[in-house]
Amino acid sequence: MITVCLNEANFEYDIHSLVKAFYPGEDVKVFADREKIYKLEEQCAPIFRLEIFYCRETEACTDAIEIFLKEEKTRGSEQGRQPLAMECEEQGKQLLAEISSQDRKGTKAKAQAKIQADFSDRGDTKNRLKRCLYRMLSEYSGRTLPWGTLTGIRPTKIAMSRLENGQSEADICAFMAEAYLASEEKINLSIEIARREMELLHNIDYQDGYSLYVGIPFCPSICSYCSFSSSPIGLWEERTDDYLDALEKEIDFTSQAFRRKKLNAVYIGGGTPTTLSPRQLHRLLAKIAASFDFSHLLEYTVEAGRPDSITKDKLEVLREHDVSRISINPQTMKQETLDVIGRRHTVEQTIESFHLARDLGFDNINMDLIVGLPGENVDDVRNTMEKVAKLSPDNLTVHSLALKRAARMKMFPENYQGMKMENTWEIIALTAAYARKMELLPYYLYRQKNMTGNFENVGYASPGKAGLYNILIMEEVQSIVALGAGSISKRVEQGRKIERCENVKDVAQYIARIDEMIERKRILLE
């Protein structure tokens, strides 16, 4: 455990994210409550504590931030291993309150720093704090992070906004290195992808265009790393048509509300849409086709996803309805790993499904991979990349494992003891090299909290086959209307002001409250 004690509640999320990036395996507790810190440390001694003091301007001093890194002390055999809170009791609890700078100078710390700040400029203050904290943690841990202080999910936005303002690549590189301490490799990747996104989005009508997402929240089984709003199809087979009934009501409302807009992309995801039967798939796709004007449609994607849900009949339904892009997602080509993570398909099923889709005429197939899965090393990833390269997909998306609280791996870590989950520069470089060998170029990128190795997810595509919807949802430049349980609609206005509304995640609640979900959208559009 690592504890962080603040003298006031401010920048907690940014501090937590940065400390967690350096120490992904540790619980990081951030509180502006010294009593809560004491109690935590009495239960479990932290490997170190950070104390962060926001010093507001007074007659005696200007705005500043002071940071102290304190290690746990190992006491003599009589006292044993004591929490840091005991040391603070000896110094006086007033240490963690707003006490004077002179008092704090007298406390013992493994590392400490003080930076000037201007609390009236929140953005600049946050960046100064993160740079200072980054340098302290980097020196203490002996590590650097590929993305430096960047903990947001869309680093390409920084490069894109500066390119749009006419800045040179050299100026952008210098800015990102100084402001965020990012590595040269990641800065260059951001710029390359930003340029490609700008080219792909050049003819998109942001004002009058929109995209449509349709969520099918069912899967053959739930993977141990998954935290999405998804349910095993076996539990819902008798009510799947009820779900489609509710979805059709939402489709009817949306088609009328956006009848004067241009539909640019349709993305059917989940879950696993191909858990639906061929009849149900036909019902859904026929309803979409009858409800929306496709004359401006540039892309139509369905996540076939799990190879164990794919059949010839289902693929033929997708072809009948002119679906232009599908995903067949192995995650890994190591069977032992598939068994561990709860994917109930085989490596052979992945290969067979891919060839079947090719034989039926699909010429834009994406494959998703995850690196950092339990027990996998660079040789396992190389083996996966070799097998994928033989298939030659048109798109390849490489995800770094990110575990959220609802994932079974996170909730029951004891089931995965002894299975190292790692991601390294070598693995990331390996996947990038294979992608380029397959003549696939990076075209979109995003990051998530708690990513293994603090890396990123990157989408690669052959020329003309980039997933437009992926770029639109990441860059948030166009409204996306999302239908189905657990989906989130985004209304993007000129100036890129974004408003959102969510559908409930629970399938039964979605069915029962569909009129409320429609009303939420009505309010969003008004």
Side-chain angles (χ1 to χ4, degrees):
M1 182 177 72
I2 297 168
T3 54
V4 183
C5 190
L6 314 175
N7 69 324
E8 67 176 64
N10 226 335
F11 305 114
E12 298 100 310
Y13 175 82
D14 302 285
I15 293 165
H16 181 277
S17 297
L18 192 54
V19 177
K20 190 74 174 176
F22 275 98
Y23 294 92
E26 294 291 336
D27 271 341
V28 179
K29 305 295 185 181
V30 183
F31 294 109
D33 182 338
R34 63 181 181 272
E35 293 300 331
K36 188 172 284 189
I37 293 288
Y38 291 163
K39 289 177 182 178
L40 286 170
E41 292 177 351
E42 286 169 1
Q43 296 168 11
C44 177
I47 59 175
F48 65 84
R49 182 207 293 139
L50 287 165
E51 297 169 4
I52 300 177
F53 298 87
Y54 302 112
C55 310
R56 301 289 178 169
E57 183 175 4
T58 65
E59 291 183 3
C61 65
T62 58
D63 287 354
I65 302 174
E66 293 188 72
I67 306 175
F68 297 84
L69 189 153
K70 299 181 120 181
E71 286 185 329
E72 176 202 358
K73 302 291 186 184
T74 302
R75 315 289 182 175
S77 57
E78 292 182 11
Q79 290 178 294
R81 199 161 171 251
Q82 299 287 339
L84 274 169
M86 299 300 183
E87 181 184 348
C88 286
E89 292 289 352
E90 295 165 11
Q91 297 171 351
K93 289 185 179 181
Q94 71 272 19
L95 176 65
L96 297 180
E98 280 196 278
I99 57 178
S100 70
S101 177
Q102 184 63 42
D103 287 336
R104 288 197 294 275
K105 286 177 182 175
T107 66
K108 296 177 182 179
K110 183 73 175 178
Q112 63 187 74
K114 179 178 180 178
I115 55 172
Q116 297 304 309
D118 178 1
F119 290 108
S120 66
D121 187 340
R122 184 171 177 81
D124 181 66
T125 299
K126 179 181 73 173
N127 287 334
R128 285 171 179 263
L129 167 63
K130 290 174 73 175
R131 284 195 295 271
C132 182
L133 185 56
Y134 176 93
R135 291 187 174 106
M136 182 180 287
L137 292 173
S138 181
E139 183 175 350
Y140 180 75
S141 67
R143 296 181 58 214
T144 58
L145 302 177
W147 287 101
T149 66
L150 283 170
T151 51
I153 68 171
R154 300 177 183 91
T156 53
K157 273 180 175 270
I158 300 167
M160 183 180 288
S161 65
R162 291 179 174 268
L163 286 170
E164 289 174 340
N165 289 331
Q167 291 191 16
S168 69
E169 291 190 10
D171 287 342
I172 296 170
C173 285
F175 169 76
M176 292 183 71
E178 180 181 352
Y180 305 112
L181 309 179
S183 69
E184 182 180 359
E185 179 180 347
K186 297 306 176 189
I187 294 171
N188 288 335
L189 179 62
S190 295
I191 294 172
E192 178 185 2
I193 290 175
R195 284 203 177 281
R196 195 158 287 123
E197 287 184 345
M198 289 171 66
E199 181 181 343
L200 291 166
L201 296 175
H202 180 68
N203 293 319
I204 295 295
D205 188 336
Y206 297 156
Q207 181 63 27
D208 291 324
Y210 75 103
S211 294
L212 180 71
Y213 174 85
V214 181
I216 305 298
F218 310 116
C219 279
S221 62
I222 306 303
C223 300
S224 55
Y225 55 77
C226 183
S227 60
F228 289 133
S229 303
S230 180
S231 303
I233 187 65
L235 299 177
W236 288 96
E237 281 181 327
E238 293 185 2
R239 295 205 66 192
T240 307
D241 279 302
D242 293 339
Y243 180 79
L244 293 179
D245 289 342
L247 198 55
E248 287 185 353
K249 290 185 71 173
E250 207 173 7
I251 288 171
D252 287 338
F253 168 78
T254 303
S255 65
Q256 283 301 304
F258 280 78
R259 64 188 179 279
R260 295 186 180 90
K261 299 286 187 179
K262 302 171 184 176
L263 180 59
N264 294 146
V266 175
Y267 192 102
I268 303 179
T272 306
T274 44
T275 52
L276 297 178
S277 68
R279 176 191 63 79
Q280 290 167 335
L281 264 180
H282 173 75
R283 173 186 172 182
L284 174 62
L285 300 185
K287 177 64 177 178
I288 292 172
S291 303
F292 295 95
D293 178 4
F294 281 7
S295 59
H296 300 281
L297 192 66
L298 302 173
E299 178 181 277
Y300 195 165
T301 298
V302 174
E303 280 195 34
R306 298 275 287 266
D308 48 338
S309 71
I310 296 172
T311 65
K312 183 178 180 182
D313 289 346
K314 294 178 185 180
L315 290 176
E316 286 176 339
V317 171
L318 302 186
R319 287 292 292 161
E320 178 188 346
H321 289 280
D322 296 323
V323 169
S324 60
R325 183 176 178 273
I326 64 171
S327 290
I328 297 174
N329 302 331
Q331 314 302 25
T332 177
M333 290 292 206
K334 183 179 179 181
Q335 189 62 51
E336 294 84 351
T337 306
L338 291 172
D339 296 338
V340 165
I341 64 177
R343 302 281 285 191
R344 293 181 181 171
H345 68 263
T346 64
V347 173
E348 289 73 24
Q349 280 179 308
T350 299
I351 296 169
E352 290 168 3
S353 297
F354 189 93
H355 287 311
L356 177 60
R358 279 287 195 241
D359 290 342
L360 290 172
F362 286 97
D363 62 358
N364 194 351
I365 303 176
N366 172 72
M367 301 190 86
D368 277 9
L369 302 176
I370 299 178
V371 291
L373 289 169
E376 291 212 344
N377 57 33
V378 67
D379 290 330
D380 297 317
V381 176
R382 182 179 290 106
N383 176 65
T384 290
M385 297 306 298
E386 283 287 342
K387 289 180 177 177
V388 168
K390 289 178 182 176
L391 296 173
S392 191
D394 310 284
N395 283 206
L396 179 69
T397 309
V398 181
H399 300 267
S400 293
L401 179 67
L403 296 179
K404 296 184 180 179
R405 284 179 296 178
R408 276 188 293 148
M409 279 185 191
K410 194 76 169 177
M411 296 170 67
F412 307 106
E414 64 276 6
N415 295 338
Y416 306 93
Q417 286 182 353
M419 297 182 183
K420 193 172 182 179
M421 289 178 274
E422 65 175 359
N423 195 7
T424 64
W425 281 99
E426 184 181 7
I427 288 173
I428 290 295
L430 177 74
T431 58
Y434 267 95
R436 296 202 186 259
K437 184 179 177 182
M438 289 185 274
E439 299 183 342
L440 305 177
L441 301 176
Y443 75 94
Y444 91 109
L445 176 154
Y446 71 100
R447 305 181 68 222
Q448 294 169 274
K449 249 183 111 175
N450 303 330
M451 297 188 81
T452 310
N454 194 44
F455 287 98
E456 66 279 329
N457 303 327
V458 180
Y460 300 89
S462 57
K465 300 296 175 68
L468 178 62
Y469 177 85
N470 291 330
I471 301 172
L472 290 170
I473 197 168
M474 280 299 111
E475 297 307 326
E476 296 183 319
V477 292
Q478 186 187 64
S479 293
I480 293 177
V481 186
L483 316 180
S487 64
I488 302 174
S489 295
K490 297 179 183 180
R491 177 184 175 184
V492 181
E493 297 182 0
Q494 284 184 322
R496 297 191 183 177
K497 177 185 175 184
I498 300 170
E499 296 182 6
R500 295 172 171 82
C501 77
E502 301 181 10
N503 282 348
V504 292
K505 295 180 179 180
D506 182 81
V507 176
Q509 286 293 305
Y510 172 78
I511 295 170
R513 297 164 60 188
I514 185 58
D515 292 336
E516 179 188 334
M517 301 304 102
I518 290 172
E519 183 61 24
R520 290 182 184 184
K521 281 188 171 54
R522 193 188 311 279
I523 293 171
L524 178 72
L525 297 178
E526 288 175 352

